[in-house]
Amino acid sequence: MSSKSSLGLGVTIALVAIACGGSPKPAVTPPPPPAPPVAEPAAPLVVTPPEPELPAIPATPAAAPADLIATAVSPAPMTMITPIAAYLDHASPGLGQALSLDALRAAARGAGVDLGAVDFGRPLWVLLLDPARFAKPFVVVAGLGDEAALAAQLKEEGVRYQVHAGFVAIGTTDALTAAGGYALTTLTAATLPAVPTLDVDVAALMRRYGSALDGLVAAGSAALPADQQAMTEGVLRAYLGLFAQLDRARFSLEVDGELASVTLRLSPLPGTALATFIGHQGPATFAELERLPPGVMSMGGRLDLR
């Protein structure tokens, strides 16, 4: 073969190679596919348990709960407005105008409370249970007014109620479980006092809080100047000694036009020194008190020291 032929063949091969893209390119590795998305764990489903059923109201009167500390009652709260307003006007002219049915209704509406939910023309009770055992220790018992309005208000406040024989008991689940049956049977059937009254189970208070009160007396006295500690602690411990001998204390409020009076009745525990002392005292009419001028605070009694 001539050199010309070899040269022509080489040129031809070179041209073919150029036309075909020259030397072969290395293979390109495709990128790996993207990883599948990681699924976020689903949030746990929070299910609010239903409110437990309240005990049925008993068919017969129920006993007072062991945790009952005090009971306040007003025979008819609405009827107290006029005499209290008159007394306030007597003490300071114009002061009683702020206390009226219309003013109370307006104030209640401003607070989002419908006074029509309960009947304030009927008796109203407030029960106090042991605060150490109940986060919300109050139970309110009143005549039922508009139940639909009552249910709407209590739902917003997280409070429950029970209805029986025209009365409603309002409180938390725990409080109604403890006191609802008693409140809507025994309490509403009891004879009402003539005036607003607060009855305190002093013996129960001292059993549960006597040691705490003793500690408060010691701590409070120690915080005073040194020359006042002994006297103050002696006086406070004398009161604690009196309370320890009491069964119950009853406070009554009577307002009649120009006169307001508070009556305190103490019932001692049987067998105590206080019971013996009170047993020696005779009754008194205190008729001479009516002759004292207005504005005088007076106390009276008869002592028979034996």
Side-chain angles (χ1 to χ4, degrees):
M1 179 180 295
S2 64
S3 59
K4 289 184 179 181
S5 298
S6 299
L7 179 61
L9 180 59
V11 173
T12 301
I13 293 173
L15 291 174
V16 172
I18 293 172
C20 293
S23 58
K25 295 179 180 180
V28 178
T29 304
V38 178
E40 292 289 339
L45 181 62
V46 178
V47 178
T48 303
E51 290 274 16
E53 289 291 330
L54 292 171
I57 303 302
T60 56
D67 290 315
L68 181 60
I69 298 295
T71 303
V73 58
S74 177
M78 203 61 75
T79 63
M80 292 294 298
I81 294 176
T82 299
I84 292 177
Y87 177 77
L88 292 175
D89 271 332
H90 176 71
S92 177
L95 187 60
Q97 295 178 3
L99 185 64
S100 66
L101 181 56
D102 290 339
L104 289 176
R105 284 174 173 164
R109 281 195 300 269
V113 177
D114 182 1
L115 288 182
V118 296
D119 184 357
F120 288 101
R122 301 178 66 190
L124 173 73
W125 294 265
V126 178
L127 282 65
L128 171 64
L129 303 175
D130 187 351
R133 295 177 54 85
F134 295 84
K136 295 182 179 180
F138 293 101
V139 173
V140 177
V141 183
L144 179 64
D146 185 342
E147 185 173 357
L150 178 68
Q153 290 181 33
L154 297 184
K155 184 177 181 181
E156 294 180 359
E157 299 173 8
V159 180
R160 304 182 71 183
Y161 71 95
Q162 289 180 291
V163 175
H164 179 72
F167 286 96
V168 57
I170 303 169
T172 63
T173 299
D174 290 344
L176 289 179
T177 298
Y182 162 77
L184 290 173
T185 57
T186 306
L187 192 65
T188 53
T191 301
L192 289 169
V195 296
T197 301
L198 171 64
D199 185 87
V200 182
D201 189 341
V202 182
L205 274 176
M206 294 304 293
R207 284 195 305 271
R208 297 168 188 241
Y209 297 100
S211 59
L213 291 173
D214 189 73
L216 286 175
V217 167
S221 301
L224 295 174
D227 60 339
Q228 300 178 20
Q229 292 179 8
M231 182 183 70
T232 302
E233 184 170 1
V235 171
L236 293 177
R237 290 200 181 282
Y239 279 113
L240 289 182
L242 172 65
F243 297 155
Q245 299 182 68
L246 290 177
D247 181 20
R248 310 191 76 85
R250 173 173 287 194
F251 303 83
S252 299
L253 170 66
E254 187 171 1
V255 181
D256 184 14
E258 300 179 356
L259 179 65
S261 59
V262 176
T263 302
L264 170 62
R265 293 178 174 86
L266 303 178
S267 301
L269 290 168
T272 60
L274 182 62
T276 302
F277 172 78
I278 291 177
H280 290 320
Q281 311 312 312
T285 61
F286 307 115
E288 297 299 317
L289 290 179
E290 299 297 331
R291 301 177 59 183
L292 293 175
V296 174
M297 178 178 291
S298 57
M299 298 178 64
R302 171 184 169 181
L303 295 180
D304 186 2
L305 302 177
R306 284 189 267 178

